[in-house]
């Protein structure tokens, strides 16, 4: 299949493109920044470029992974988020429908589910962790990134309703390699390791989820999926996760504290949100390979943790 992959120079795109090619797809990469997997340098906001790309390459399906992200808020005006995240998605949906496509994969974000109330967590008075699945709501994004991504999701839903195109909206948890831009403690790999309990997955798993969705969405219509490492917790744990997360973690992973102590790491004293990725497993048969148990196994064997960490990572578009 000839696929248009937007965001092909980005962190996800550089892992997803070779995976798609390895299973026989022809990938046409489009990104604002040059890259090893980028054939067309330009923006999805340019409708003329999108139409030219579809005509010139015989595009048969779209994986729309390109976007401005949360860290870009300090770099770009609100209008740029609307242009790229909303108008760009509209351009691609219209072109896909005109070309007669039967499927469309849209990379969204769990960030749009995090209102100020959810973000405040225990400090805001929450008495239990928020259980975030696809039915969670009402959704009240807290910044322009979340607002434009949820707007793009609504466009995807509308185009399915009007034109029957099958759409998979993939709300990905965290998989970026750089340090968190707001949290100070713990930092680096320790924070990433902790997040595999409730809100992170590897970029390799994120890429594989897109591959699975490309095939799996064909007969499903419109569906939204949360992507994250499988959490060990259940809804009945939510109150204690706010009050005493280490005690809950110890029930599931008795070895965790000793392994963390040896590494000089700390476990979270509370967990305020849980991403439930169960729907992707039920409907698509997708389950992330790397989970918190994988982290502990690496620590026990004194191997490097099975995720990427690069505090100096810079988005390719920022290096232009």
């Amino acid at each position: 299949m000839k696929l248009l992959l937007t965001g092909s120079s980005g962190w996800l795109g550089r892992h997803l493109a070779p995976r798609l090619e390895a299973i026989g797809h022809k990938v046409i990469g489009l990104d604002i920044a040059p890259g090893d997997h980028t054939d067309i340098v330009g923006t999805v906001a340019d409708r003329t470029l999108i139409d030219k790309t579809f005509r010139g390459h015989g595009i048969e399906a779209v994986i729309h992974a390109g976007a401005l992200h949360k860290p870009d808020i300090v770099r770009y005006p609100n209008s740029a988020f609307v242009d790229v995240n909303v108008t760009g998605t509209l351009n691609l949906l219209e072109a896909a429908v005109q070309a007669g496509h039967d499927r469309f994969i849209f990379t969204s974000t769990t960030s749009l589910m995090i209102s100020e109330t959810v973000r405040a967590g225990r400090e805001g008075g929450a008495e239990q962790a928020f259980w975030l699945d696809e039915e969670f709501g009402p959704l009240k994004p807290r910044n322009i990134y979340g607002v434009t991504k949820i707007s793009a999701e609504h466009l995807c839903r509308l185009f399915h309703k009007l034109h029957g195109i099958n759409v998979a909206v993939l709300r990905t948890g965290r998989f970026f390699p750089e340090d968190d831009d707001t949290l100070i403690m713990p930092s680096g790999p320790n924070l990433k390791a902790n997040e595999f309990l409730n809100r992170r997955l590897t970029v390799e798993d994120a890429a594989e989820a897109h591959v699975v969705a490309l095939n799996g969405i064909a007969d499903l219509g419109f569906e939204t999926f949360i992507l994250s490492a499988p959490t060990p917790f259940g809804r009945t744990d939510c109150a204690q996760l706010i009050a005493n997360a280490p005690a809950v973690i110890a029930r599931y992973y008795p070895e965790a504290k000793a392994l963390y102590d040896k590494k000089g790491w700390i476990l979270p004293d509370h967990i305020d949100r849980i991403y439930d990725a169960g729907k992707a497993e039920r409907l698509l048969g997708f389950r992330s390979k790397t989970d918190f148990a994988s982290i502990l196994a690496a620590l026990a064997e004194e191997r490097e943790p099975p995720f990427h960490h690069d505090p100096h990572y810079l988005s390719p578009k920022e290096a232009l």
Side-chain angles (χ1 to χ4, degrees):
M1 185 179 291
K2 293 180 180 178
L3 303 175
L4 176 61
L5 172 63
T6 70
S8 52
S9 296
W11 183 241
L12 175 61
R14 70 178 67 174
H15 288 83
L16 178 53
R19 178 70 184 95
L20 291 165
E21 291 170 347
I23 58 175
H25 294 295
K26 171 62 176 176
V27 178
I28 307 301
L30 185 151
D31 200 293
I32 195 68
D36 291 342
H37 305 286
T38 295
D39 305 280
I40 301 164
V41 176
T43 173
V44 292
D46 183 347
R47 180 57 190 270
T48 300
L49 176 64
I50 297 301
D51 289 341
K52 180 180 177 181
T53 299
F54 270 67
R55 289 194 305 268
H57 294 276
I59 302 301
E60 297 174 282
V62 175
I63 299 179
H64 181 25
L68 288 181
H69 298 280
K70 190 257 186 182
D72 293 317
I73 290 174
V74 298
R75 305 171 183 141
Y76 296 91
N78 290 341
S79 58
F81 279 82
V82 175
D83 291 342
V84 174
N85 294 356
V86 182
T87 303
T89 303
L90 176 61
N91 288 341
L92 291 164
L93 285 165
E94 288 182 338
V97 167
Q98 289 175 7
H101 291 185
D102 67 343
R103 71 198 72 185
F104 188 96
I105 311 301
F106 176 60
T107 310
S108 190
T109 173
T110 52
S111 180
L112 63 81
M113 304 172 71
I114 310 305
S115 65
E116 291 295 347
T117 300
V118 174
R119 189 184 188 193
R122 186 173 71 174
E123 288 72 18
E127 296 182 353
Q128 61 181 12
F130 290 91
W131 190 269
L132 302 181
D133 61 13
E134 292 80 3
E135 303 305 314
F136 178 80
L139 301 180
K140 298 178 181 180
R142 68 187 189 278
N143 54 41
I144 189 65
Y145 172 50
V147 167
T148 53
K149 292 298 278 189
I150 198 171
S151 297
E153 286 191 8
H154 288 319
L155 286 172
C156 290
R157 182 180 292 104
L158 177 65
F159 270 68
H160 164 70
K161 178 181 178 181
L162 295 179
H163 305 288
I165 187 170
N166 299 292
V167 181
V169 171
L170 305 182
R171 290 182 184 166
T172 64
R174 293 179 159 203
F175 57 83
F176 55 78
E178 65 267 39
D179 284 327
D180 187 277
D181 61 348
T182 56
L183 297 176
I184 299 175
M185 289 294 293
S187 62
N190 188 170
L191 177 61
K192 286 182 171 65
N194 290 355
E195 289 175 339
F196 276 88
L197 286 163
N198 67 314
R199 61 183 301 195
R200 178 172 282 273
L201 72 166
T202 65
V203 67
E204 291 85 0
D205 279 332
E208 189 63 24
H210 285 70
V211 173
V212 173
L214 181 66
N215 294 324
I217 197 60
D219 298 317
L220 291 181
F222 176 91
E223 293 289 352
T224 300
F225 301 98
I226 290 173
L227 300 182
S228 187
T231 182
F233 307 127
R235 291 177 183 267
T236 55
D237 295 318
C238 287
Q240 196 174 7
L241 284 169
I242 281 284
N244 186 0
V248 184
I249 295 168
R251 291 207 310 269
Y252 291 95
Y253 304 105
E255 74 278 24
K257 186 177 187 306
L259 290 170
Y260 263 52
D261 286 347
K262 184 176 179 180
K263 184 74 172 178
W265 285 1
I266 58 173
L267 289 164
D269 63 356
H270 73 282
I271 292 176
D272 59 12
R273 69 194 74 164
I274 303 295
Y275 295 160
D276 179 356
K279 182 180 176 183
E281 186 168 0
R282 293 191 302 273
L283 295 190
L284 297 177
F286 172 77
R287 180 183 176 91
S288 291
K289 291 182 179 179
T290 301
D291 58 10
F292 190 66
S294 306
I295 309 301
L296 296 181
L299 295 182
E301 297 167 13
E302 298 184 347
R303 293 184 283 108
E304 287 296 313
F307 55 79
H308 298 274
H309 175 67
D310 180 1
H312 305 295
Y313 176 80
L314 185 67
S315 172
K317 72 180 186 303
E318 302 310 313
L320 293 176

